[in-house]
Amino acid sequence: MAAGTKLVLTFVGSSGNTISSTFNYADPEATAANVKALMNGMIANGSIYANVPVTAKSAKTVTTTENAYDLSA
């Protein structure tokens, strides 16, 4: 059985729209302070994005698991 964790960040954009960014292979042990620092850095350097993030809205990790079945029997 394999597992994977994604980090999903949601921002409010400069035009009031919702912006989501997803990062695969996230560290499942990242702290709230780590995630907040990442989001603040993305906002501070927002000029690199076509749709500039202005405000951090939410953050979550999504963990998935995988089960392989032996179908040869």
Side-chain angles (χ1 to χ4, degrees):
M1 178 167 65
T5 301
K6 293 181 182 185
L7 177 63
V8 180
L9 307 178
T10 306
F11 300 89
V12 175
S14 57
S15 59
N17 58 326
T18 300
I19 303 168
S20 293
S21 295
T22 302
F23 299 93
N24 295 325
Y25 311 107
D27 181 358
E29 296 179 16
T31 65
N34 296 140
V35 174
K36 189 172 182 177
L38 171 62
M39 294 182 84
N40 287 335
M42 291 174 72
I43 291 169
N45 296 295
S47 62
I48 66 170
Y49 300 102
N51 193 358
V52 179
V54 177
T55 306
K57 187 174 180 181
S58 67
K60 65 182 177 181
T61 54
V62 178
T63 303
T64 58
T65 58
E66 181 180 300
N67 293 315
Y69 296 99
D70 181 10
L71 302 177
S72 63

